[in-house]
Amino acid sequence: MSALPTFPAPSPHTPAFWRRALRHPSCAIGAVLTLALVLSALLSFVWTPWPPYEMAMDAALQPPGAQHWLGTDAYGRDVASQLLVGARASIAVGVIAVGIGLALGAALGLLAAARGGWVEEAVMRLADFTFAFPALLLAIMLTAVFGPGMVNAIIAIGIFYIPTFARVTRASAKAVWAREYILAARACGRGPWRITFEHVLPNIASVLIVQATIQFALAILAEAALSYLGLGTQPPQPSWGRMLAEAQTLMFQAPLLAVWPGVAIALAVLGLNLLGDGLRDLLDPRLSRQR
């Protein structure tokens, strides 16, 4: 028996879905925090309190005040401006890396579920092999060959996400392939690829959306970790991870320099995780019928 329910998944395009989303605490709070992250990045393109790359050594390590709302760093740069611009790097890495993992991983997972046999076995073993190279280790390898930078960090994180999405897609698609309406479609003479795009993919789209939201949060953490180690975003481009790395030597002189980027990372990850949990509850038909 298939584990999937016989009733359809809630559609995110209906007014009832959005009303339930607003009443769902995790989804509502997560959406607000995620929207704040996106708006901060967009705002930095048109306005920042101070030029984010401007150094003023005579204003170094100033505490928060009327001129510099969150203070200045060791080079006199405005911390609030750097946080706003640093949101760009987090979103760029998250969107592109998750996009790479989702596109390639979902394609491989759908292929494995549709063909089965040695194709499925080969895809799964390839996924197991890729899991042996964590994003950090892969980034170090790419850095050793091509040098540090955001592009290499994105590639490393994206490659690491491919087997994750492949496994999730394959498991969800296999459950759909066992449904009765798939057998009916086969009896009508429809080929495996038509069935995949007309029936399988629409029925697992909600699973992929939730997984992408959760992986987006992990991508922000991975980008911060790589930038902290000097393997991600390079100067002078602001990055939350590199702001933490620069603040570690000033913990006693200016401890707030480590607090602001840490809070930004925590709120961004918290918002995406809450949004992912909320979407999972809203898009899972079994849970939605209980609400």
Side-chain angles (χ1 to χ4, degrees):
M1 294 292 292
S2 172
L4 288 181
T6 56
F7 37 84
S11 173
H13 304 293
T14 60
F17 175 86
W18 293 108
R19 288 194 296 268
R20 289 174 48 247
L22 292 176
R23 293 196 301 265
H24 194 287
S26 294
C27 189
I29 297 174
V32 169
L33 292 176
T34 303
L35 182 61
L37 171 65
V38 174
L39 291 179
S40 298
L42 293 177
L43 179 64
S44 68
F45 284 103
V46 295
W47 177 85
T48 54
W50 292 80
Y53 307 106
E54 181 180 291
M55 294 187 293
M57 299 306 297
D58 57 335
L61 298 180
Q62 286 190 1
Q67 279 194 324
H68 300 280
W69 302 338
L70 302 181
T72 59
D73 64 6
Y75 301 100
R77 297 172 297 189
D78 184 67
V79 174
S81 302
Q82 286 198 304
L83 285 176
L84 289 175
V85 179
R88 298 183 202 169
S90 297
I91 292 180
V93 171
V95 169
I96 301 175
V98 172
I100 292 173
L102 177 60
L104 298 180
L108 290 174
L110 290 172
L111 174 64
R115 295 299 299 272
W118 68 268
V119 174
E120 180 180 12
E121 188 69 18
V123 170
M124 291 301 99
R125 297 297 75 78
L126 180 62
D128 293 338
F129 176 77
T130 309
F131 269 128
F133 297 92
L136 181 57
L137 178 59
L138 193 56
I140 294 174
M141 293 170 56
L142 291 175
T143 300
V145 178
F146 302 106
M150 182 187 293
V151 174
N152 292 335
I154 291 174
I155 294 174
I157 298 172
I159 291 176
F160 180 73
Y161 281 163
I162 292 175
T164 301
F165 282 102
R167 284 176 171 272
V168 172
T169 303
R170 178 250 182 188
S172 302
K174 290 284 285 186
V176 174
W177 274 99
R179 301 299 302 167
E180 290 79 3
Y181 58 83
I182 299 296
L183 297 177
R186 282 179 166 179
C188 292
R190 294 185 178 179
W193 299 119
R194 186 176 178 182
I195 293 175
T196 295
F197 289 106
E198 289 186 358
H199 299 286
V200 177
L201 187 56
N203 278 281
I204 67 172
S206 60
V207 177
L208 296 180
I209 292 173
V210 173
Q211 187 67 23
T213 305
I214 295 173
Q215 296 303 323
F216 198 145
L218 297 179
I220 291 178
L221 281 177
E223 188 279 330
L226 292 173
S227 296
Y228 180 85
L229 297 175
L231 304 177
T233 307
Q234 298 298 299
Q237 179 67 30
S239 168
W240 294 344
R242 205 178 64 255
M243 291 175 68
L244 283 173
E246 294 172 353
Q248 67 179 349
T249 59
L250 302 168
M251 290 296 295
F252 295 102
Q253 298 97 316
L256 287 179
L257 290 180
V259 171
W260 303 128
V263 169
I265 294 171
L267 289 178
V269 173
L270 176 63
L272 287 165
N273 279 328
L274 289 176
L275 180 61
D277 289 342
L279 289 176
R280 180 198 59 198
D281 294 344
L282 294 171
L283 294 174
D284 190 327
R286 291 165 296 186
L287 295 177
S288 65
R289 285 168 65 93
Q290 299 172 6
R291 291 182 177 274

